[in-house]
Amino acid sequence: MNIFRSIRLRLGDLWQVCVSEFRSILADSGSILFFIVVPFVYPFLYAALYGNEVVREAPLVVIDRSHSEISREYIRRVDASPDVFVVAQVANESEAYRLVAEERAYGIMMIPEDFSRQIYSDQQAHVDLHTTFSAAMYYKAYVLTATEVALTMGREIEGRRHHAASERATRISVRPIESEWIAPFNPQGGFQGFLLPGVLVLIIQQTLLIGISMVSGTQRERGGLASPFLLIDGHYASVMRMLLGKALCYLHIYMVSSLFVLVIAPWLFGLPQLTDPLTYWLLLLPLLLASVFFSFFWSLMTRHREKAMIIWVFTSVPFLFLSGLSWPLSAMPAPLRALGYLIPSTPGVQAFVSVSSMGAQLPDILPQYFTLWAQALVYFLITSLVYSRLLRRS
C-alpha cells in the first residue's frame, strides 16, 4: 500500500504543478498570445504570403545591343514564357537601372553586340543577366527561363547545321539523351509546398521558447522559479517532479495546437498529407518534449519577461537555416551541422517533412526520431541540475 500511496502522491504533485502552471499562463496576456493565439494565426499568415506557390510574369528589362534576328527571337521566347514578362527594351544601362530603382523591373538582361556573329561562327554566345535580391523568386524565374530558352534555341541551331538522314536522326544527333526535370514531392515547384511544412514545426518550437521564457521571467521577477511549485499540500516536491508537471501543462496545450498547426492547417492550404495517424503521434511526442525541455533550459537566461522577445525572436531565421530546409545539411560546415542537432527543430523539421510530404514511415526517420528523444532526455537532466543549483543558491 505504501508503494501505491507514494505513486499517487507523486502523480498528485505532477497534477498540482500542471494546474498551477496553467493558471500562471491564463493570468498572463503575453503567454496567452504566444501559447494559444500565435500558433493558430501564423499558419494563415505564411499561407497568405506564399499561397501563390510560384512567381509568374516576373518583370524584366532588356538591353539588346545585337539588334539581330536571332537576338529578337531570343527575347520573344523569354517574354512568351509564363514566368517572365519583358516590360521594356532600353538602349543603355542607365535607363535599365532607373527602371530597377523604380521597382518597375527586378532584373536586366544584356545581349552583347557580337551575339549573332558568335552563334553563326560556331562560337559560344553569352547573355548577361543582372538581378536584384529584393525578391529571390524573381531570380529563380529569370535564370530558369533564360537557361531553358538558350538550351532550346541551341538545339535548334545545331539541328539546322548538322542534317542527318532523317529528321529523327537529326534530333538524336543533337540530343542523344532525352531528359526531363521532375520534382518528386513538389511537382508544381511551389514555394509554399517546399517551405511551409518545415516552418510549421519551427512555429511550435519558437512559440514554446518565447512563451516559456516570458513565464520564467515573470516568475523570477516575483521571487523565484520554483515558488509556489515545490511546496505542495504541506510537503516539498522534487525539482524533477516540478519540471515534469510543468511539461505536462505545455503538452496538454500543444497537443491541441499541434493538431491544428501540423494537420488541419496543411489540409486547409492543400499541402501534401501523406502521414498516418500513428506515425504522427509517435513523432509529435518526442518533438514536443524536446522543445519543452529545450525551452525550459534556455528560459533560465531570461531574468525579466520583456527580454524574452529581445533574446529569442531573432533566432527563428538561424534555426530555419540550421534545420537544412533552405540550405542542405550536406553543404554546411561540420560545426554548423553539429550546432543544428542541438536544436529540436533540426531533426523535427527533417522528420516531419519526410513523413508529411514524402510519405516516410517511422523506420525511415529513426535517426531524427532517436535524436529528438535524446534531446528531450539531455535537456531535462541539464535543466534539473541547473534548477537545483539555483534553488540551493536562493
Side-chain angles (χ1 to χ4, degrees):
M1 295 296 294
N2 290 333
I3 295 176
F4 292 110
R5 184 175 179 277
S6 178
I7 293 174
R8 188 170 64 252
L9 179 66
R10 283 162 172 75
L11 292 178
D13 290 347
L14 294 180
W15 182 247
Q16 290 289 338
V17 174
C18 174
V19 172
S20 181
E21 185 76 359
F22 191 70
R23 288 172 179 168
S24 299
I25 293 172
L26 292 181
D28 189 336
S29 58
S31 301
I32 294 175
L33 177 67
F34 278 101
F35 291 136
I36 300 175
V37 178
V38 170
F40 289 90
V41 173
Y42 261 42
F44 289 99
L45 175 62
Y46 279 97
L49 291 173
Y50 304 116
N52 291 331
E53 289 280 9
V54 294
V55 171
R56 300 295 188 189
E57 300 293 335
L60 177 71
V61 60
V62 175
I63 303 173
D64 183 8
R65 293 194 175 102
S66 176
H67 301 291
S68 60
E69 179 183 356
I70 194 168
S71 67
R72 287 191 292 270
E73 177 65 14
Y74 183 79
I75 296 170
R76 186 192 69 78
R77 295 194 186 192
V78 169
D79 189 27
S81 70
D83 295 337
V84 177
F85 171 56
V86 176
V87 295
Q89 295 188 42
V90 297
N92 52 57
E93 295 183 20
S94 61
E95 293 184 50
Y97 280 107
R98 179 177 58 81
L99 293 175
V100 172
E102 295 173 357
E103 295 187 349
R104 293 170 57 186
Y106 294 92
I108 302 170
M109 179 181 289
M110 300 181 184
I111 300 178
E113 298 176 359
D114 57 354
F115 181 74
S116 61
R117 179 179 60 80
Q118 288 180 328
I119 292 176
Y120 291 125
S121 60
D122 286 342
Q123 299 179 20
Q124 187 175 24
H126 297 271
V127 174
D128 295 330
L129 183 63
H130 300 189
T131 67
T132 69
F133 269 89
S134 56
M137 296 301 291
Y138 286 146
Y139 170 78
K140 174 187 174 184
Y142 298 144
V143 170
L144 292 181
T145 300
T147 302
E148 186 63 30
V149 171
L151 291 174
T152 302
M153 291 184 64
R155 288 193 295 267
E156 294 174 356
I157 295 170
E158 189 71 14
R160 289 195 295 267
R161 287 177 179 171
H162 301 88
H163 291 289
S166 65
E167 180 181 350
R168 184 170 181 273
T170 301
R171 188 168 63 251
I172 292 175
S173 65
V174 172
R175 193 176 185 182
I177 300 176
E178 287 287 345
S179 61
E180 185 179 2
W181 180 65
I182 298 175
F185 303 105
N186 189 7
Q188 74 273 23
F191 201 67
Q192 177 176 270
F194 149 74
L195 182 69
L196 194 55
V199 170
L200 294 176
V201 176
L202 193 64
I203 288 173
I204 293 175
Q205 176 188 280
Q206 292 302 93
T207 52
L208 274 169
L209 178 59
I210 298 173
I212 289 176
S213 296
M214 291 182 66
V215 173
S216 174
T218 302
Q219 291 173 352
R220 298 184 81 168
E221 288 178 354
R222 293 176 179 176
L225 287 171
S227 177
F229 298 123
L230 283 182
L231 185 60
I232 300 174
D233 294 336
H235 69 276
Y236 284 93
S238 67
V239 172
M240 287 189 174
R241 260 179 278 168
M242 181 191 70
L243 291 178
L244 289 174
K246 295 172 72 173
L248 185 63
C249 170
Y250 296 110
L251 282 178
H252 278 90
I253 296 173
Y254 271 80
M255 284 293 181
V256 178
S257 300
S258 300
L259 181 64
F260 175 81
V261 172
L262 300 180
V263 177
I264 298 177
W267 175 76
L268 292 174
F269 307 146
L271 297 177
Q273 288 283 279
L274 304 179
T275 185
D276 59 273
L278 178 60
T279 304
Y280 167 78
W281 289 111
L282 288 176
L283 176 60
L284 181 64
L285 181 59
L287 174 62
L288 290 181
L289 286 174
S291 299
V292 167
F293 291 125
F294 172 82
S295 302
F296 282 164
F297 175 74
W298 290 107
S299 67
L300 298 175
M301 295 182 59
T302 308
R303 294 181 176 272
H304 304 281
R305 57 176 285 117
E306 293 79 8
K307 290 184 179 179
M309 292 284 291
I310 300 173
I311 296 174
W312 299 121
V313 166
F314 83 96
T315 61
S316 299
V317 174
F319 287 171
L320 181 63
F321 277 101
L322 290 173
S323 70
L325 185 64
S326 58
W327 189 260
L329 290 176
S330 59
M332 288 185 188
L336 288 181
R337 286 203 303 272
L339 177 62
Y341 275 98
L342 299 177
I343 305 165
S345 58
T346 298
V349 167
Q350 295 173 14
F352 179 72
V353 170
S354 296
V355 300
S356 65
S357 302
M358 305 178 189
Q361 299 298 314
L362 189 62
D364 302 317
I365 57 168
L366 285 180
Q368 294 84 6
Y369 186 71
F370 288 134
T371 300
L372 287 171
W373 277 113
Q375 288 179 345
L377 178 61
V378 170
Y379 279 115
F380 170 67
L381 294 176
I382 294 176
T383 307
S384 299
L385 293 174
V386 175
Y387 262 75
S388 299
R389 184 177 180 183
L390 290 176
L391 290 175
R392 284 196 298 269
R393 282 184 176 182
S394 61

